[in-house]
């Protein structure tokens, strides 16, 4: 941690150049370089001189807090770059606003947008007062709960530009923040399109209908003509609004007063009209034919006949239903059977109409709007309706969930203030106060409007979406006082203002996301003008907004943006709930009126409303958010913002670890949790990367993997090397797709370091149960004999700790992850049962594509007293119950005499041990002593068999590769040595030599390179009778050998012969690893036994179980 804090001494505050806002600009430690190089001349603080380089004085800290700005760091960097390019310029300050201008008014404008004036009356008419009241209450409750959660988050620290995105990303992490932020950006952009479409609808339907470019030839083409007009004029209005926003946000703020004045005036006009209607209802008659509502566009008098003088004449209405204007014309059957009546469209609040509009009247598309309870003579149901007749038709099929989707955007302006948090003087104070007051105000207006509309306006007029029955007037305008034009003009400017607010907030949101650098392809949109105005983001916003305008239908655009807004609100509530439940120390919001249950209720409401509005839109929105989440996870920059998801992960990990402490895992849940011990070179690079390839193939991304390494030295001196080694191992783990952890330990010696790793690796119940290590290559040639001693101690410690051990020999020949075996076998030599690891490992390997096509073969060894046929049957049955597919073979190993080859191998092994114990001299003296021993041995061999001299004893000078793998001719020692290297009085292997001298460095006997080549070319020679005599003459020397070593060597030789015979072509051989001797004086012999056991095999894995069952036949 100290290193992380002191890494930022270059003055960049730990932020990468151009990285936008990886860490919030802060006046705390290492945040700026303004104090860099400053000398502390005062003598009062001499005790803290060392700390002053990295830790600021309290006075400096307080000064930084006083001058702290909540502009994002990327914005300041951009402004500094602009100033540096243009020489000394006067810094441009963005306008700063308070609660009323910065939050309350934008929220009111967005909430009181297009839906209140264009669709709320229609929603009340279709759903009725009761269902509309429930709808409004649910939606307003959702936004109020979200505002409470948002207030808690906003007051828990400084909120720079980005508002809602900033709050979500810093609370839930960059992945959630980016996904939800982009969804909210799309929602805000489509909201701008919806407001523009509402503006055009008001303009063409209620203000200047003659401006329509496209005219419908008949009634069926009116809808298409209206959509085309919306597209053309919407594009023009969008261009004008984008230009206004480009000029500057201060002009939008100036227009805001005018627009909001229109909104307030319009709402007051509605309430005044309601009051007036109670005692003096306005005169808006509607014409009914039977119980069917007629459109006023084609006639003036609501009657079939009229009197002109003393003559009865037909009206224009007659001409619309009959073939001619004459009385004897053929008329529509329904027109003939029913009378025409005229009723008032606005009966007033005192008319008792509220009972009639209390319940819902849902309609299907193309159905005539009818007045309930009105007498009429209906036609048979199969009679078709002429769409050209002047009826008021339903333009879409309506149902409750559709109405929720259309209505919800009317409450979605609550983020308008938080999106502009960069322009606020005190965002922590303004955002909660302004937002909650705006929601309370608008909720009261909406709920009262639902009741008042149902109480004052006739039901057929409410269900008439475009006011055709009231001479094409805006329905809500008919209720207003003193004139409908107050509402028309007010709603027109209101929707214009809401559109401008959306086009102002959305680019700033995108700019904040871009400057954070979490979405690489969006970084270009983080640039803007010198004062931080998002130019490129505005251009992209206008292009996306054009997509919504091309859809052209307000009723189709509304559910789309409802999804994005609801998703954003849901994650705001989730963020507050997570932070509250985790009780993180930094969670100290000034806003106290919140609780996690309220946040959870708000989150549940948002999720429910998403699927109520449109389940398929909800799934699409979640899919988009999920794709963005995965993209940021894999391609985005890694950020550490102290988010709640990280805290949630820590809490979940803590809970899981505590649960794991309750007991060891059941056999059915056992899987190898690996501790992989690797060695690094002087450049801190892994020596054998194939070990990690094997780890990846064995784990397949499951379970725990710890890759450990040990560096010699002290922690203070070698900490940088340890960090480089960790970085190198992590890069290799990433390349090999090994999911796990890295741990590098610095110790005074390798032996203790490995022991510490084995003992302390993991945490709690999440600890390794298996150690994977490579075979110590060329252990004979190490001048320091500590190499193989460390290995044997590792075997002993894993046994003592009940850990399984996997030792890979010839690890450089193991396949990498890109390789594939198209055929071959994995051979298991099951000598002793130590828990079933030998069965489990091939099964796990075959899950990986490298080994998938290899078949599994199991060999077991039968002794003289065993029934090999029954053993094979039992083993086959056992594998069947284990659900493992493998070929089974029983190898019979009969008792036989110990061969001369075995004796000679044992003799050479013990002679090597004697040399190691006798050599206590300097290097030069040791070489002379070795040479004398070699000459004595060579002379003895020449005297006994001059023709068959094949062994030389010397100090090896060859490279590691020359002596690692020996051919069979090289190790046959039947009569190569005819005299012992020491006189018979020399101590046995278990005894200490006389003199008490210190143990020498490791010396050993081996072939010279010339002899290896000569023997290969020479080939086996027949043994002569003289050789046989010499063979028997060596018998007394064999009798002096340790018989226990002879028996062990005999077992190793016999097993090796059987394994080589059966598995020489196998892709991998797994066999039981014998344990080390209990007597430590024979450790070097143990290494020889393992060498002999695994000779002439390409890939070998020695397996030693951990003392527990790891595989079971039970389900």
């Amino acid at each position: 941690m100290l290193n992380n804090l002191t890494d930022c001494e270059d003055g960049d505050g730990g932020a990468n150049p151009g990285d936008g806002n990886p860490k919030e600009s802060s006046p705390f430690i290492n945040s700026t370089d303004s104090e860099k190089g400053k000398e502390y001349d005062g003598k009062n603080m001499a005790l803290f001189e060392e700390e002053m380089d990295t830790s600021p004085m309290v006075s400096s800290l307080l000064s930084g807090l006083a001058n702290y700005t909540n502009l994002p760091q990327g914005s300041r960097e951009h402004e500094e770059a602009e100033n540096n390019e243009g020489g000394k310029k006067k810094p441009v300050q963005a306008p700063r606003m308070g609660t009323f201008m910065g939050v309350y008014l934008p929220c009111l404008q967005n909430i009181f947008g297009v839906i209140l004036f264009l669709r709320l009356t229609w929603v009340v008419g279709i759903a009725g007062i009761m269902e509309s009241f429930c709808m409004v209450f649910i939606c307003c409750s959702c936004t109020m709960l979200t505002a409470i959660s948002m207030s808690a988050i906003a007051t828990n620290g400084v909120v720079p530009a980005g508002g809602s995105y900033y709050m979500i990303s810093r609370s839930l992490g960059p992945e959630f923040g980016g996904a939800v932020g982009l969804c909210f950006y799309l929602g805000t952009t489509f909201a701008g399109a919806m407001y523009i479409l509402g503006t055009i609808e008001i303009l063409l339907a209620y203000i200047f209908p003659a401006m329509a470019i496209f005219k419908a030839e008949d009634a069926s083409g009116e809808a298409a003509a209206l959509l085309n007009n919306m597209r053309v004029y919407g594009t023009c209005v969008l261009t004008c609004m984008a230009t206004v926003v480009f000029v500057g946000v201060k002009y939008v703020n100036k227009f805001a007063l005018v627009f909001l004045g229109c909104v307030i005036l319009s709402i007051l006009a509605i309430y005044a009209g309601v009051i007036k209607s109670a005692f003096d209802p306005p005169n808006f008659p509607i014409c009914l034919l039977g119980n069917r509502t007629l459109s006023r566009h084609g006639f003036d008098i609501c009657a079939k006949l009229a009197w002109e003088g003393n003559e009865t004449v037909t009206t224009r209405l007659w001409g619309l239903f009959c073939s001619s204007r004459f009385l004897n014309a053929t008329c529509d059957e329904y027109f003939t059977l029913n009378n025409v009546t005229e009723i008032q469209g606005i009966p007033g609040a005192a008319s008792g109409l509220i009972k009639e509009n209390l319940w819902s009247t849902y309609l299907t598309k193309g159905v005539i709007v009818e007045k309930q309870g009105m007498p009429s003579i209906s036609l048979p149901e199969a009679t078709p309706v002429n769409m050209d007749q002047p009826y008021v038709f339903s333009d879409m099929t309506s149902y409750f969930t559709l109405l929720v989707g259309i209505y919800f955007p009317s409450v979605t302006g609550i983020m308008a203030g938080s999106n502009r948090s960069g322009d606020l003087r005190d965002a922590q104070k303004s955002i909660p106060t302004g937002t909650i007051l705006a929601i309370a105000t608008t909720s009261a207006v909406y709920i009262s409007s639902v009741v008042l509309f149902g109480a004052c306006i006739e039901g057929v007029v409410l269900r008439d979406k475009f006011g055709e029955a009231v001479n094409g007037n805006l329905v809500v305008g008919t209720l207003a006082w003193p004139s409908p034009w107050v509402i028309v003009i007010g709603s027109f400017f209101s929707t214009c203002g809401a559109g401008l607010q959306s086009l102002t907030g959305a680019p700033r949101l995108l700019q904040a996301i871009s400057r954070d650098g979490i979405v690489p392809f969006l970084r270009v949109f983080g640039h803007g003008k010198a004062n931080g105005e998002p130019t490129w983001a505005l251009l992209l916003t206008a292009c996306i907004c054009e997509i919504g305008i091309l859809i052209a239908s307000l009723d189709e655009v509304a559910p789309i943006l409802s999804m994005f807004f609801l998703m954003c609100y849901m994650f705001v509530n989730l963020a507050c709930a997570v932070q509250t439940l985790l009780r993180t120390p930094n969670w100290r919001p000034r806003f106290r009126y919140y609780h996690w249950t309220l946040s959870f209720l708000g989150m549940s409401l948002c999720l429910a409303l998403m699927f109520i509005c449109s389940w398929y839109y909800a799934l699409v929105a979640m899919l988009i958010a999920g794709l963005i989440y995965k993209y940021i996870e894999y391609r985005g920059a890694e950020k550490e913002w102290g988010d709640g998801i990280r805290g949630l992960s820590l809490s979940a990990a803590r809970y899981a670890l505590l649960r794991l402490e309750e007991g060891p895992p059941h056999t059915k849940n056992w899987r190898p949790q690996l501790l992989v011990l690797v060695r690094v070179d002087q450049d801190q690079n892994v020596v054998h990367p194939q070990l990690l390839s094997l780890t990846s193939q064995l784990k397949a991304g499951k379970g725990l993997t710890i890759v450990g390494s040990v560096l010699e030295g002290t922690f203070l001196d070698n900490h940088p090397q340890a960090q480089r080694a960790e970085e190198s191992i992590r890069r290799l783990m990433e390349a090999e797709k090994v999911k796990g952890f890295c741990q590098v330990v610095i110790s005074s010696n390798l032996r203790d370091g490995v022991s510490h790793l084995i003992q302390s690796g993991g945490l709690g119940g999440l600890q390794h149960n298996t150690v994977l290590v490579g075979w110590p290559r060329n252990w004979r040639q190490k001048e320091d004999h500590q190499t193989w001693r460390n290995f044997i101690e590792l075997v002993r410690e894993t046994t003592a700790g009940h850990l399984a051990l996997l030792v890979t020999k010839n690890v450089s020949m193991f396949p990498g992850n890109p390789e594939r075996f198209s055929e071959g076998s994995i051979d298991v030599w099951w000598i002793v049962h130590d828990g079933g690891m030998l069965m489990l490992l091939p099964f796990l390997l075959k899950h990986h594509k490298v080994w998938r096509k290899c078949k599994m073969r199991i060999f077991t060894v039968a002794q003289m007293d065993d029934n090999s046929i029954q053993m094979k049957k039992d083993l086959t049955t056992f594998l069947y119950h284990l659900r493992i597919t493998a070929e089974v073979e029983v190898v019979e190993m009969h008792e036989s005499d110990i061969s001369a080859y075995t004796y000679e191998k044992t003799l050479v092994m013990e002679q090597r041990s004697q040399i190691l114990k006798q050599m206590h001299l300097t290097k030069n003296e040791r070489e002379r002593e070795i040479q004398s021993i070699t000459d004595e041995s060579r002379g003895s061999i020449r005297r006994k068999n001059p023709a068959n001299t094949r062994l030389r004893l010397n100090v090896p000078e060859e490279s590691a590769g020359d002596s690692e793998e020996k051919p069979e001719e090289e190790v046959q020692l039947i009569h190569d040595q005819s005299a012992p290297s020491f006189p018979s009085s020399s101590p046995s292997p278990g005894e200490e030599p006389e003199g008490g001298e210190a143990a020498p460095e490791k010396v050993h006997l081996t072939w010279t390179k010339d002899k290896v080549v000569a023997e290969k070319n020479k080939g086996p020679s027949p043994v002569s009778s003289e050789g046989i005599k010499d063979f028997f003459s060596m018998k007394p020397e064999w009798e002096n050998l340790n018989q226990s070593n002879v028996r062990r060597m005999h077992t190793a030789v016999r097993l090796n012969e059987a394994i080589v015979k059966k598995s020489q072509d196998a892709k991998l051989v797994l066999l039981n690893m014998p344990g080390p001797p209990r007597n430590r004086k024979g450790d070097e012999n143990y290494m020889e036994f393992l060498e002999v056991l695994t000779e002439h095999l390409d890939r070998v894995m020695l397996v030693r179980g951990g003392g527990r069952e790891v595989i079971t036949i039970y389900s």
Side-chain angles (χ1 to χ4, degrees):
M1 289 300 294
L2 181 62
N3 188 69
N4 293 336
L5 289 175
T6 57
D7 277 347
C8 306
E9 292 181 0
D10 294 336
D12 59 355
N16 297 327
D19 198 20
N21 192 16
K23 295 182 181 178
E24 290 71 43
S25 56
S26 171
F28 299 101
I29 294 176
N30 294 326
S31 61
T32 64
D33 56 356
S34 59
E35 298 295 325
K36 184 179 178 181
K38 182 177 179 180
E39 299 293 336
Y40 293 89
D41 297 328
K43 302 299 182 184
N44 295 332
M45 292 295 142
L47 184 61
F48 296 93
E49 284 179 352
E50 298 293 335
E51 284 76 13
M52 286 178 181
D53 293 335
T54 56
S55 303
M57 292 286 293
V58 174
S59 58
S60 303
L61 173 68
L62 296 177
S63 175
L65 284 171
N67 298 325
Y68 182 57
T69 174
N70 63 356
L71 272 179
Q73 183 175 350
S75 177
R76 289 206 307 276
E77 290 174 353
H78 182 71
E79 291 180 13
E80 290 169 3
E82 293 285 342
N83 293 336
N84 292 337
E85 290 175 4
K88 291 185 177 180
K89 295 182 181 179
K90 187 177 180 180
V92 180
Q93 290 291 333
R96 299 294 180 192
M97 293 172 288
T99 303
F100 188 75
M101 283 291 296
V103 180
Y104 185 74
L105 297 188
C107 286
L108 282 184
Q109 282 182 301
N110 279 268
I111 297 174
F112 282 148
V114 62
I115 301 297
L116 171 64
F117 302 110
L118 295 185
R119 293 292 183 268
L120 187 57
T121 54
W122 176 73
V123 169
V124 173
I126 296 291
I129 295 175
M130 295 300 294
E131 292 186 20
S132 298
F133 180 85
C134 294
M135 187 187 309
V136 173
F137 181 78
I138 291 173
C139 294
C140 291
S141 300
C142 177
T143 55
M144 180 60 78
L145 292 172
T146 303
I148 292 173
S149 299
M150 184 183 69
S151 300
I153 299 173
T155 57
N156 190 50
V158 179
V159 181
S164 56
Y165 157 72
Y166 183 92
M167 290 185 288
I168 296 172
S169 61
R170 269 53 175 186
S171 299
L172 295 180
E175 294 88 0
F176 276 110
V180 180
L182 284 177
C183 285
F184 185 57
Y185 162 75
L186 293 175
T188 307
T189 304
F190 275 102
M194 184 188 71
Y195 294 133
I196 292 173
L197 291 175
T199 302
I200 304 305
E201 182 177 318
I202 294 172
L203 181 68
L204 296 181
Y206 307 113
I207 301 179
F208 297 114
M211 288 180 62
I213 299 174
F214 300 93
K215 307 289 185 181
E217 297 181 357
D218 53 16
S220 59
E222 288 181 359
L226 177 62
L227 294 181
N228 289 330
N229 287 319
M230 302 274 275
R231 294 184 179 105
V232 174
Y233 283 105
T235 304
C236 298
V237 173
L238 172 63
T239 305
C240 296
M241 287 187 175
T243 305
V244 171
V245 174
F246 176 77
V247 171
V249 68
K250 60 182 179 180
Y251 297 105
V252 177
N253 295 330
K254 289 179 181 179
F255 292 152
L257 288 176
V258 178
F259 296 147
L260 187 64
C262 296
V263 173
I264 295 175
L265 186 63
S266 300
I267 295 173
L268 292 177
I270 294 174
Y271 283 112
V274 170
I275 296 173
K276 180 178 179 296
S277 69
F279 55 86
D280 185 14
N283 182 27
F284 278 99
I286 58 174
C287 190
L288 300 177
L289 176 60
N291 63 352
R292 297 179 178 180
T293 309
L294 296 177
S295 173
R296 283 279 189 172
H297 287 306
F299 63 94
D300 51 356
I301 301 174
C302 183
K304 295 181 181 180
L305 303 174
W307 293 91
E308 290 187 2
N310 294 326
E311 186 179 1
T312 301
V313 296
T314 59
T315 61
R316 294 176 61 186
L317 180 61
W318 179 281
L320 295 175
F321 285 94
C322 300
S323 58
S324 67
R325 298 292 296 272
F326 300 105
L327 292 174
N328 59 353
T330 303
C331 297
D332 180 76
E333 185 178 0
Y334 188 85
F335 181 76
T336 305
L337 295 176
N338 291 276
N339 296 323
V340 176
T341 56
E342 191 174 61
I343 62 174
Q344 282 297 325
I346 313 293
S351 62
L353 190 63
I354 190 171
K355 296 180 180 179
E356 184 180 330
N357 292 330
L358 207 57
W359 308 110
S360 60
T361 308
Y362 293 106
L363 304 174
T364 57
K365 185 176 180 179
V367 172
I368 301 172
V369 177
E370 299 177 345
K371 178 174 172 55
Q372 297 176 353
M374 196 75 176
S376 67
I377 301 174
S378 59
L379 298 178
E381 293 184 2
T383 305
V385 178
N386 187 358
M387 298 297 293
D388 290 329
Q389 292 176 346
Y391 292 123
V392 177
F393 293 97
S394 172
D395 65 330
M396 61 189 303
T397 301
S398 56
Y399 39 91
F400 181 78
T401 56
L402 173 73
L403 298 182
V404 174
I406 292 175
Y407 170 75
F408 188 80
S410 66
V411 296
T412 56
I414 64 172
M415 294 288 189
S418 62
N419 286 343
R420 306 168 70 206
S421 55
D423 299 321
L424 301 174
R425 281 195 299 267
D426 187 358
Q428 291 191 49
K429 178 182 178 182
S430 299
I431 290 176
T433 306
T435 304
I436 292 178
L437 283 178
I439 293 175
T441 304
T442 54
S443 299
V445 171
Y446 280 131
I447 292 175
S448 62
S449 296
V450 167
V451 177
L452 294 177
F453 288 164
C456 298
I457 304 176
E458 179 63 50
V460 291
V461 178
L462 290 174
R463 290 186 285 275
D464 182 6
K465 184 185 292 186
F466 299 104
E468 297 176 59
V470 285
N471 298 321
N473 282 302
L474 186 62
V475 175
V476 70
T478 60
L479 182 61
W481 181 86
S483 169
W485 285 100
V486 175
I487 298 295
V488 172
I489 301 299
S491 61
F492 177 78
F493 284 109
S494 171
T495 51
C496 285
L500 283 172
Q501 293 292 342
S502 297
L503 291 179
T504 301
R508 289 170 175 270
L509 181 60
L510 180 62
Q511 185 184 45
I513 299 172
S514 303
R515 284 179 171 173
D516 266 345
I518 59 174
V519 184
F521 68 86
L522 290 180
R523 287 178 181 169
V524 65
F525 299 105
H527 302 291
K529 294 192 292 185
N531 63 350
E533 290 297 317
T535 307
W536 292 104
L538 176 62
L539 181 62
L540 179 64
T541 302
C543 293
I544 297 176
C545 192
E546 179 65 21
I547 297 175
I549 289 174
L550 292 178
I551 295 176
S553 174
L554 189 148
D555 298 322
E556 292 181 8
V557 173
I560 296 176
L561 62 99
S562 294
M563 294 301 110
F564 294 125
F565 279 123
L566 280 167
M567 183 172 293
C568 178
Y569 298 165
M570 179 177 70
F571 280 99
V572 168
N573 286 293
L574 175 63
C576 182
V578 167
Q579 297 278 28
T580 306
L581 291 174
L582 290 179
R583 297 176 183 173
T584 53
N586 192 53
W587 180 247
R588 303 184 301 273
R590 287 207 185 104
F591 183 81
R592 299 294 181 185
Y593 307 103
Y594 70 94
H595 194 267
W596 69 267
T597 53
L598 297 178
S599 300
F600 187 79
L601 179 60
M603 183 183 68
S604 303
L605 267 178
C606 291
L607 185 62
L609 283 173
M610 285 181 68
F611 284 92
I612 287 174
C613 294
S614 175
W615 64 268
Y616 46 89
Y617 277 163
L619 293 178
V620 171
M622 288 182 173
L623 177 63
I624 294 174
L627 292 176
I628 298 172
Y629 178 95
K630 299 304 292 184
Y631 176 81
I632 295 174
E633 185 179 24
Y634 285 107
R635 295 294 305 276
E638 294 184 2
K639 304 288 182 180
E640 176 52 59
W641 287 329
D643 51 85
I645 292 298
R646 179 62 59 88
L648 186 62
S649 300
L650 290 174
S651 296
R654 172 182 169 274
Y655 174 77
L657 286 173
L658 292 175
R659 287 292 302 273
L660 287 176
E661 285 284 356
E662 294 177 2
H666 192 273
T667 303
K668 291 184 289 186
N669 298 326
W670 194 95
R671 66 168 62 245
Q673 317 286 5
L674 290 181
L675 170 62
V676 186
L677 299 177
V678 297
R679 186 162 57 91
V680 295
D681 55 20
Q682 293 181 349
D683 298 326
Q684 280 73 48
N685 294 320
V686 178
V687 176
H688 292 299
Q690 292 89 349
L691 265 180
L692 292 185
S693 299
L694 177 63
T695 303
S696 174
Q697 297 159 18
L698 191 61
K699 300 293 290 183
K702 302 294 190 300
L704 172 70
T705 301
I706 302 174
V707 181
S709 185
V710 179
L711 298 181
E712 284 191 284
T714 63
F715 182 77
L716 293 178
D717 297 335
N718 297 89
H719 183 59
Q721 290 88 334
Q723 284 189 319
R724 289 197 296 271
E726 283 192 10
E727 292 176 2
S728 174
I729 294 174
R730 284 197 182 96
R731 286 196 301 269
L732 184 59
M733 291 174 67
E734 185 177 353
E736 297 293 343
K737 298 181 180 179
V738 176
K739 297 183 181 299
F741 308 98
C742 172
Q743 189 170 0
V744 177
V745 172
I746 302 174
S747 180
S748 58
N749 59 76
L750 294 177
R751 173 75 198 81
D752 291 341
V754 172
S755 179
H756 295 158
L757 273 177
I758 293 176
Q759 294 178 59
S760 61
L763 179 64
L766 191 64
Q767 292 185 340
H768 56 273
N769 54 29
T770 306
V771 178
L772 174 61
V773 65
W775 175 261
R777 297 177 65 243
N778 311 324
W779 59 273
R780 293 193 187 99
Q781 297 185 14
K782 297 289 184 183
E783 290 195 2
D784 185 3
H785 61 277
Q786 200 63 35
T787 302
W788 53 268
R789 291 190 183 279
N790 289 345
F791 176 78
I792 296 176
E793 289 302 311
L794 169 66
V795 177
R796 286 196 173 100
E797 288 188 353
T798 54
T799 304
H802 302 289
L803 303 175
L805 177 64
L806 309 179
V807 180
T808 57
K809 192 175 181 188
N810 304 332
V811 67
S812 58
M813 301 180 66
F814 276 67
N817 287 330
E819 299 181 41
R820 303 287 183 274
F821 286 136
S822 58
E823 57 182 1
S825 63
I826 301 175
D827 287 3
V828 176
W829 283 82
W830 193 18
I831 312 300
V832 294
H833 179 65
D834 55 359
M837 278 284 288
L838 282 171
M839 309 293 179
L840 188 61
L841 291 176
F843 173 77
L844 296 175
L845 284 174
K846 280 172 63 66
H847 280 79
H848 197 274
K849 48 194 172 183
V850 173
W851 306 92
R852 188 166 296 157
K853 295 184 179 180
C854 293
K855 61 183 180 180
M856 180 177 169
R857 299 192 301 178
I858 296 181
F859 298 88
T860 189
V861 177
Q863 302 296 325
M864 283 294 296
D865 298 334
D866 295 328
N867 185 340
S868 58
I869 298 176
Q870 187 62 37
M871 281 182 65
K872 184 172 182 179
K873 290 181 180 179
D874 294 342
L875 182 54
T876 304
T877 304
F878 180 61
L879 291 177
Y880 174 78
H881 288 302
L882 289 177
R883 291 90 63 199
I884 292 177
T885 303
E887 297 180 8
V888 176
E889 185 170 344
V890 177
V891 179
E892 296 181 353
M893 290 187 64
H894 303 294
E895 291 185 4
S896 63
D897 294 335
I898 300 175
S899 65
Y901 170 72
T902 302
Y903 277 112
E904 289 299 331
K905 290 287 290 186
T906 310
L907 179 62
V908 172
M909 178 183 71
E910 293 197 357
Q911 287 175 347
R912 180 180 294 111
S913 301
Q914 292 289 351
I915 292 175
L916 293 173
K917 293 175 181 177
Q918 292 285 343
M919 296 298 100
H920 307 290
L921 311 173
T922 65
K923 185 176 181 181
N924 292 333
E925 291 172 330
R926 186 174 68 228
E927 289 178 355
R928 288 196 298 270
E929 183 70 19
I930 292 292
Q931 187 62 39
S932 66
I933 295 172
T934 306
D935 293 342
E936 181 184 350
S937 300
R938 190 180 296 118
S940 175
I941 293 172
R942 287 196 189 100
R943 287 192 301 273
K944 292 200 174 210
N945 190 2
N948 293 320
T949 304
R950 296 171 64 182
L951 177 67
R952 291 183 62 190
L953 306 174
N954 69 336
V955 177
E957 299 293 338
E958 304 91 274
S959 63
D962 292 333
S963 59
E964 182 182 356
E965 297 293 333
K966 295 187 174 73
E968 187 175 356
E969 296 88 355
E970 191 178 343
V971 296
Q972 288 184 344
L973 305 172
I974 293 178
H975 55 280
D976 292 352
Q977 172 117 6
S978 57
S981 298
F982 298 95
S984 59
S985 60
S986 63
S988 63
E991 297 177 1
E992 292 293 331
E994 295 180 4
E997 299 160 33
E1001 292 184 329
K1002 180 174 167 66
V1003 182
H1004 59 85
L1005 302 91
T1006 186
W1007 292 87
T1008 63
K1009 191 172 183 179
D1010 297 331
K1011 277 292 180 183
V1012 173
V1013 176
E1015 287 300 323
K1016 282 185 178 180
N1017 296 330
K1018 178 180 176 182
S1021 58
V1023 181
S1024 63
S1025 58
E1026 269 186 52
I1028 296 174
K1029 292 178 182 178
D1030 292 334
F1031 179 81
F1032 286 106
S1033 69
M1034 294 172 67
K1035 199 67 176 284
E1037 298 174 7
W1038 294 349
E1039 290 177 353
N1040 293 330
L1041 297 175
N1042 187 318
Q1043 294 303 309
S1044 174
N1045 289 340
V1046 173
R1047 290 196 305 272
R1048 287 186 171 89
M1049 183 64 74
H1050 177 63
T1051 303
V1053 170
R1054 292 294 309 279
L1055 273 176
N1056 179 256
E1057 290 175 354
I1059 294 172
V1060 170
K1061 181 180 178 182
K1062 297 286 186 180
S1063 303
Q1064 191 165 19
D1065 297 329
K1067 300 301 181 184
L1068 177 64
V1069 176
L1070 293 92
L1071 71 155
N1072 291 109
M1073 181 179 183
R1078 297 178 181 176
N1079 183 4
R1080 293 178 183 270
K1081 296 179 181 179
D1083 284 354
E1084 63 275 7
N1085 299 337
Y1086 175 67
M1087 300 296 290
E1088 284 287 352
F1089 296 145
L1090 296 182
E1091 282 282 7
V1092 172
L1093 182 63
T1094 57
E1095 279 181 328
H1096 312 301
L1097 297 173
D1098 290 339
R1099 303 180 190 89
V1100 184
M1101 185 184 293
L1102 296 169
V1103 180
R1104 186 163 175 78
R1108 63 159 295 170
E1109 291 292 333
V1110 301
I1111 195 167
T1112 178
I1113 64 174
Y1114 299 104
S1115 61

